[in-house]
Amino acid sequence: MATFADIGVAAGMNILFAVAFLVAFAILRLQPINDRVYFPKWYLKGLRSSPMHQGSFVSKFVNLDWRSYIRFLNWVPDALRMPEPELIDHAGLDSAVYLRIYLLGLKIFVPVALLSWAILVPVNWTNNTLAKSEATDELQYSDIDKLSISNIPNGSLRFWTHIVMAYAFTFWTCYTLRNEYAKIATMRLHFLASERRRPDQFTVLVRNVPPDPDESVSESVEHFFLVNHPDHYLTHQVVINANKLAKLVKEKKSKQNWLDYYQLKYSRNQSRRPVTKTGFLGLCGETVDAIDYKTAEIERLTKEIAEERERVKTDPKCIMPAAFVSFRTRWGAAVCAQTEQSRNPTLWLTEWAPEPRDIYWDNLAIPYVSLSIRRLIIAVAFFFLIFFFTIPVTFVQSLANIEGIRRRAPFLKAIIDIPFIKSVIQGFLPGIALKIFLVLLPTILMIMSKFEGFMSVSALERRSATRYYIFNFVNVFLVSVIAGSAFQQLDSFLHQSANYIPRTIGVAIPMKATFFITYVMVDGWAGVAGEILRLKPLIFFHLKNFFLVKTEKDREEAMDPGSIGFNTGEPQIQLYFLLGLVYAVVTPVFLPFILVFFTLAYVVFRHQIINVYNQEYESAAAFWPDVHGRIIFALVFSQLVLMGLMSTKGAAQSTPFLIALPVLTIWFHIFCKGRYEPAFVRNPLQEAMMKDTLERAREPNLNLKSYLRNAYIHPIFKNDDDDNEDEHIDEKIEENVLVPTKRRSRRNTPVPSKYSGTSSPSLPDVAPENPGS
């Protein structure tokens, strides 16, 4: 078992790494050559110019002002100085609310830690249960475990102290959660009310449009909404399957970058033309002239892109049974998005459209009927992912047991018995090993979410975050506890009465706090400090800047500002909430390590959000109900763990008092869900009408149709340099995908629409007469 000395070595190593990362960052950020790496957000906003354009040759690359090095820690107060309203205006509500998760951790755990150390630690320490247990060789322990509930004898009246503190911690956590939920719901409504005009405020996504043999998808959509929303329908854009075209354009851009690189390389040394291989990643195949080969590849792709663009415009099979439908008012969009459109609840499904930059365009081409099958497949795959990942996690836990290593590898005894090596193995190695095993997990979970077919990046990240949290709960927490108690103590179980097994498990669960302490230090201390250093973006920026950058646009594209990474960051935070709530009563020594994480992470990520991250989308804190729900789950689980522990410690009479805790907590969750969650899933009609009224008064001549015309065009048609008529692409697509129809749909449709200004562009003004009808 890890001792205070082992934890001290681990803390020293992680503090050393964290300080090294922070000092390196503080120095590197002062160098002009790194300015775009550590302040990319200001460049993207056009509010910062490169310091490399001024001064002498040396000063363009190295900061020669010695006074700035004295103030190298000024980034900390600078990160804390910006007030929250300004932060919201600067980075968006999502980023500001994400930071509030760290503040919520401090609000909850600072009073909890103070009470635990003032009351529970003395109660636990002034017992000798573990010392007596050691004499019978039933269980191994360290001095850290003397601070836990394991050190209290069975049936002791001191357990009532833990029960009272469990109630106090629950009430305080719920009180804090309720205040935070109310505050963020108010912030969201205010943000939506004061936000500038955006296309998604007027637009809904319509899916599962029923097929019609006489009308195209575009005609069906327009006909349906002119009939059923005659006073508010404005325009629409059908969803186009342009995935193949997007892949070709992406491939061409990659080839062009390589061609630029080879041309630049040749211009620097014209005595030898660069060569490459035609096989996979240029590693195998025939050796050819690189410039000629890439030029030929680009010409081939240009031809394929032109053919594919023409096919997408003219082939009705490229039109999906879905569309973005825009309305004249926010009120009309809210009514449509929040009501059922047809007597058949599986057709004409409407939901709020994501903002254009939030759309994951690849998934719009997935047929709606396949979504349920895809999600079933992923559910099964996720189960097996969790199941098979228990193997490396269990192996990691074996590293924390030095005695197990001695038995399985006796030839290492001389090495691992060295005090420092032993401390590193037990206090540092398990945490870093588990962190390494989890490196690829976010990518795997995001691929799963994409396969499921979610339509927006925010939905992909929220689903991935949910799975990441489940994975952390099962494999990082539960498997760690089981592997460190039941498996580790198997020999002891085989040599004792069955009546003692529950007691041994109950004593061993709080002992796993030592492993989680090492994990928090590796991931939450050194890991967070490493985030601000941005070593990977720093290296890649300078490589791109040296080899590929030729223009200011190239230099801007070489910057990698990144984003807050909700799909990975939030589940990690929730793991700390889980650990803190579980061990608050059981092992209070754990809490200071959690507090260091929340404090350091708040400062670091506030700096990153202000200066670095460029958020891909804005969901107006739509993720907060998930955050609240996961904290409630952690709180209920911590109460169940305490009930289980009490049952093994001869305190079964306390069970009726503890049962009330999860009941009250679940009731509290239901109350918050009913009171505050509607603000995150629906848009109040009152707010929509108020905003519409103000906009009509301020901009009576606003041409909303022109504003929305190209908002939901596939980006491949907006940004492709090969097309010189992008501004009219939406009209061309609508005209070319029409299917000849004999149906006189205009007879059932008001003409012309007084809100769209003219007759529908997708339908003729007069239905043609058909002699054969």
Side-chain angles (χ1 to χ4, degrees), residues 444-468:
I444 296 173
L445 296 180
M446 183 56 73
I447 292 173
M448 286 183 167
S449 298
K450 290 177 180 178
F451 181 81
E452 283 187 284
F454 290 97
M455 300 296 181
S456 64
V457 178
S458 57
L460 288 171
E461 290 198 345
R462 288 200 295 272
R463 173 53 67 95
S464 183
T466 299
R467 288 214 168 94
Y468 201 166

Side-chain angles (χ1 to χ4, degrees), residues 228-244:
N228 296 288
H229 297 267
D231 296 329
H232 297 282
Y233 168 77
L234 181 61
T235 185
H236 74 278
Q237 176 58 57
V238 293
V239 172
I240 302 170
N241 183 356
N243 290 351
K244 182 179 178 181

Side-chain angles (χ1 to χ4, degrees), residues 364-422:
L364 289 179
I366 297 176
Y368 180 79
V369 293
S370 70
L371 294 180
S372 298
I373 299 175
R374 285 170 170 261
R375 289 171 187 175
L376 176 61
I377 293 172
I378 291 301
V380 174
F382 182 62
F383 170 79
F384 283 105
L385 176 68
I386 292 178
F387 179 79
F388 286 110
F389 235 89
T390 59
I391 298 172
V393 174
T394 303
F395 169 74
V396 168
Q397 292 308 309
S398 68
L399 297 177
N401 183 7
I402 204 77
E403 288 74 19
I405 296 177
R406 286 197 188 101
R407 289 194 301 270
R408 292 172 177 81
F411 58 90
L412 295 177
K413 185 176 184 301
I415 298 176
I416 62 178
D417 283 344
I418 299 174
F420 178 76
I421 299 298
K422 179 180 177 182

Side-chain angles (χ1 to χ4, degrees), residues 222 234 705 746 751-761 765:
E222 187 161 29
L234 181 61
K705 186 172 184 178
R746 183 65 77 185
V751 289
S753 172
K754 62 181 179 179
Y755 295 119
S756 60
T758 61
S759 299
S760 166
D765 288 337

Side-chain angles (χ1 to χ4, degrees), residues 405 452 467 474 664 686 728:
I405 296 177
E452 283 187 284
R467 288 214 168 94
V474 174
L664 291 173
Q686 181 184 25
H728 303 298

Side-chain angles (χ1 to χ4, degrees), residues 627-653:
V627 175
H628 177 88
R630 285 195 265 273
I631 297 176
I632 290 292
F633 170 80
L635 185 59
V636 172
F637 181 79
S638 69
Q639 296 159 355
L640 297 178
V641 167
L642 183 61
M643 291 172 62
L645 284 173
M646 291 299 183
S647 66
T648 66
K649 301 289 285 183
Q653 70 277 8

Side-chain angles (χ1 to χ4, degrees), residues 49 146 156 200 258 374 463 471 643 692:
S49 59
K146 291 182 179 180
S156 173
D200 54 292
W258 277 109
R374 285 170 170 261
R463 173 53 67 95
F471 186 93
M643 291 172 62
D692 287 333

Side-chain angles (χ1 to χ4, degrees), residues 259-507:
L259 178 60
D260 293 342
Y261 165 72
Y262 288 128
Q263 288 176 336
L264 182 62
K265 183 178 180 180
Y266 180 62
S267 66
R268 293 175 176 175
N269 181 16
Q270 298 187 2
S271 62
R272 181 181 180 183
R273 288 179 67 85
V275 296
T276 187
K277 293 184 178 181
T278 59
F280 179 72
L281 296 178
L283 301 176
C284 58
E286 181 185 357
T287 301
V288 296
D289 183 284
I291 296 178
D292 293 342
Y293 177 70
K294 294 299 180 183
T295 302
E297 287 287 291
I298 291 173
E299 291 176 355
R300 175 184 63 82
L301 288 170
T302 300
K303 183 179 179 181
E304 291 184 15
I305 288 171
E307 294 173 353
E308 181 64 18
R309 282 173 63 84
E310 189 62 28
R311 187 186 73 84
V312 167
K313 295 179 189 178
T314 57
D315 188 357
K317 294 181 180 179
C318 292
I319 305 301
M320 304 304 297
F324 292 100
V325 179
S326 298
F327 294 82
R328 183 174 180 268
T329 62
R330 296 172 181 83
W331 188 92
V335 170
C336 182
Q338 297 164 184
T339 56
E340 188 173 312
Q341 304 302 309
S342 167
R343 65 178 65 181
N344 185 343
T346 65
L347 301 176
W348 298 104
L349 303 178
T350 56
E351 59 184 277
W352 280 108
E355 61 167 324
R357 60 178 178 164
D358 188 22
I359 296 174
Y360 187 69
W361 293 94
D362 289 354
N363 281 359
L364 289 179
I366 297 176
Y368 180 79
V369 293
S370 70
L371 294 180
S372 298
I373 299 175
R374 285 170 170 261
R375 289 171 187 175
L376 176 61
I377 293 172
I378 291 301
V380 174
F382 182 62
F383 170 79
F384 283 105
L385 176 68
I386 292 178
F387 179 79
F388 286 110
F389 235 89
T390 59
I391 298 172
V393 174
T394 303
F395 169 74
V396 168
Q397 292 308 309
S398 68
L399 297 177
N401 183 7
I402 204 77
E403 288 74 19
I405 296 177
R406 286 197 188 101
R407 289 194 301 270
R408 292 172 177 81
F411 58 90
L412 295 177
K413 185 176 184 301
I415 298 176
I416 62 178
D417 283 344
I418 299 174
F420 178 76
I421 299 298
K422 179 180 177 182
S423 297
V424 171
I425 290 176
Q426 296 199 140
F428 182 75
L429 189 59
I432 193 67
L434 183 58
K435 182 68 176 175
I436 292 172
F437 275 121
L438 298 177
V439 166
L440 295 178
L441 181 63
T443 302
I444 296 173
L445 296 180
M446 183 56 73
I447 292 173
M448 286 183 167
S449 298
K450 290 177 180 178
F451 181 81
E452 283 187 284
F454 290 97
M455 300 296 181
S456 64
V457 178
S458 57
L460 288 171
E461 290 198 345
R462 288 200 295 272
R463 173 53 67 95
S464 183
T466 299
R467 288 214 168 94
Y468 201 166
Y469 179 73
I470 295 172
F471 186 93
N472 278 341
F473 174 72
V474 174
N475 272 359
V476 177
F477 182 78
L478 288 183
V479 173
S480 296
V481 169
I482 294 172
S485 57
F487 296 162
Q488 179 180 327
Q489 305 299 331
L490 182 59
D491 291 339
S492 177
F493 291 165
L494 295 177
H495 295 89
Q496 62 184 232
S497 171
N499 295 331
Y500 285 88
I501 293 178
R503 174 177 175 271
T504 304
I505 294 176
V507 173

